Amino acid sequence: MIMSRKKRQLQSNVPARAAARYWRATLSRDARADGTFVLAVRSTHIYCRPSCPARRPLRHNVVFFRTGAEAEQQGFRACLRCRPNEVAGAVALVENAARELAQSSEDSVRFSVLAAKLRTTPATLRRAFLQTTGLRPRELAAALRLTRFKKMLRDGKSIADALYETGYGSTSRVYERSDAQLGMTPATYRKGGKNMKIGYTITKSSLGKILVAATERGVSAVYLGDADAKLVEELHSEYPRAEITTASDSFERWVKEIVQRLEGNPPRLELPLDLQATAFQRRVWQELQRIPRGSTRTYSQVAKALGRPKAVRAVARACATNPVSIVVPCHRVIREDGSLAGYRWGLSRKQRLLAQESAVASR
Ligand SMILES: [Zn+2]
């Protein structure tokens, strides 16, 4: 009797679909989800924010709550590492900062003043910005001086979009031309592919089946595999809220381009991308596009190139979550010891891709 009552108490009122989304955010430690829910761990009676750096618990031990207060009502205690009950989540903090900036009539805002207004420290606010927008302090300071940036916020743009469109963070280098570099369309912070209309097509290649999916703005997914159904399923789970249909032949040129790159050939066509990405993922993916065909980099080399030498694991995660294989050549990143590390589409494919590229490059 007591047991069943206890069990019922632990039920959260988060619907199953939201819980699935929360679990994905938990696995990727998505800081953008901070403040939207907490995860409570049955085995430890502790609750965390989604971005908590602690080890991920087993799914069946996790209960989600919208707020820390609800978790505490059920007897959970706040985690001492991520302090979900204290500091507002990084995203909430950045959103509040955006609101402040938009309201301020001054053209230039001092960072310390902004932090004080939000009742936090400059260091915490800086970390929150870096986490959610990928901006370093100097870039951030420049953005805060920018009238146009503030006008965009006033017009209701999200801070990520406004930063993107004013050319900060990951974006300014995007349109530099080089063989390996490609344009990305402006920031898509649409979670789950919301409002995206995606068409896909599946064709054969020397590495098996290849699925290419795109919106009218650019390529959104490039998957490799053996079974059509599995590839399509993958697409739906990457973009659960998108409208997905089989494509007309409108992007046949893109498909051809991708297939010929897959065979190890140099880029012939610029491929626009339409992706959902955090600022950090975007930076990693752009860096990967600079790795020349026929060569490889290690995860720590990529982290160093980004000016974030300690972010090796985050780089590895960004590689693992790259939705556009080939176009963003995550297969060119290997372990420090020269071994291939993982590949979302199978190690043997990674091996063959690299072999093909070095063969064609040395011709
Ligand atoms: Zn925690």
Side-chain angles (χ1 to χ4, degrees):
M1 199 58 200
I2 291 167
M3 274 299 288
S4 73
R5 205 174 140 221
K6 204 172 177 186
K7 241 184 170 165
R8 198 168 53 237
Q9 274 184 349
L10 281 182
Q11 294 299 314
S12 85
N13 52 8
V14 171
R17 277 189 67 171
R21 205 166 64 236
Y22 291 171
W23 180 239
R24 277 196 301 275
T26 301
L27 288 179
S28 58
R29 296 188 169 81
D30 189 347
R32 292 171 301 167
D34 283 359
T36 60
F37 72 91
V38 299
L39 58 134
V41 185
R42 284 192 172 109
S43 48
T44 58
H45 301 286
I46 287 189
Y47 72 93
C48 289
R49 63 174 80 241
S51 69
C52 180
R55 250 182 78 184
R56 300 292 84 167
L58 295 171
R59 175 68 185 90
H60 68 255
N61 279 333
V62 172
V63 193
F64 294 108
F65 296 99
R66 305 254 191 229
T67 64
E70 283 172 72
E72 286 183 16
Q73 267 169 24
Q74 306 280 339
F76 292 96
R77 282 174 294 116
C79 168
L80 292 176
R81 280 183 81 174
C82 64
R83 300 178 186 272
N85 55 339
E86 286 179 18
V87 196
V91 167
L93 206 52
V94 167
E95 274 170 8
N96 289 339
R99 215 165 292 135
E100 276 293 331
L101 288 171
Q103 280 163 9
S104 126
S105 54
E106 292 150 59
D107 275 345
S108 167
V109 180
R110 290 249 315 274
F111 204 72
S112 52
V113 174
L114 182 60
K117 270 193 183 151
L118 298 167
R119 289 190 211 91
T120 183
T121 64
T124 306
L125 187 55
R126 220 166 254 135
R127 219 176 312 120
F129 266 96
L130 183 64
Q131 221 176 6
T132 55
T133 67
L135 282 195
R136 278 171 268 193
R138 222 183 41 207
E139 299 167 315
L140 182 57
L144 298 187
R145 281 194 300 273
L146 205 77
T147 323
R148 205 171 124 235
F149 171 71
K150 287 171 48 203
K151 183 174 180 311
M152 285 184 183
L153 294 176
R154 257 174 235 136
D155 294 344
K157 290 226 187 250
S158 79
I159 197 158
D161 285 345
L163 286 168
Y164 192 96
E165 285 173 30
T166 44
Y168 285 95
S170 57
T171 59
S172 45
R173 297 186 315 197
V174 179
Y175 295 104
E176 283 172 19
R177 298 296 169 91
S178 82
D179 245 6
Q181 234 177 348
L182 311 143
M184 281 196 202
T185 52
T188 39
Y189 249 50
R190 299 160 298 187
K191 285 187 189 168
K194 194 181 172 192
N195 298 330
M196 282 172 99
K197 282 186 184 159
I198 298 176
Y200 72 88
T201 181
I202 296 174
T203 179
K204 280 187 194 140
S205 77
S206 62
L207 295 181
K209 295 283 177 63
I210 175 167
L211 175 147
V212 176
T215 67
E216 57 185 17
R217 296 164 68 187
V219 178
S220 303
V222 179
Y223 299 159
L224 307 172
D226 300 311
D228 291 17
K230 187 121 187 288
L231 292 172
V232 176
E233 199 184 297
E234 195 95 29
L235 183 63
H236 278 275
S237 68
E238 184 122 44
Y239 296 104
R241 298 167 78 182
E243 191 185 315
I244 295 175
T245 54
T246 52
S248 59
D249 49 13
S250 59
F251 58 87
E252 204 181 329
R253 283 170 61 233
W254 293 348
V255 177
K256 271 194 186 143
E257 169 68 19
I258 291 165
V259 170
Q260 72 98 14
R261 284 189 200 181
L262 178 148
E263 314 294 350
N265 298 303
R268 286 178 200 159
L269 195 74
E270 190 159 328
L271 284 171
L273 297 178
D274 191 8
L275 304 172
Q276 42 177 3
T278 64
F280 185 75
Q281 282 174 318
R282 198 177 289 277
R283 284 177 63 196
V284 173
W285 297 342
Q286 278 161 11
E287 197 56 46
L288 300 189
Q289 291 184 318
R290 305 176 150 217
I291 307 173
R293 222 163 22 94
S295 30
T296 54
R297 296 279 183 276
T298 64
Y299 292 108
S300 59
Q301 283 172 332
V302 175
K304 256 183 224 136
L306 292 169
R308 304 271 306 275
K310 285 183 185 155
V312 178
R313 285 182 59 192
V315 166
R317 258 199 313 277
C319 292
T321 50
N322 165 32
V324 282
S325 60
I326 319 294
V327 187
V328 168
C330 59
H331 59 275
R332 294 180 195 151
V333 188
I334 59 172
R335 280 212 194 99
E336 314 312 307
D337 63 4
S339 67
L340 289 188
Y343 191 49
R344 186 169 165 188
W345 313 111
L347 264 187
S348 71
R349 285 200 177 89
K350 184 168 183 172
Q351 207 162 16
R352 277 156 69 194
L353 275 168
L354 290 173
Q356 276 170 350
E357 287 184 347
S358 65
V360 176
S362 62
R363 247 188 235 153

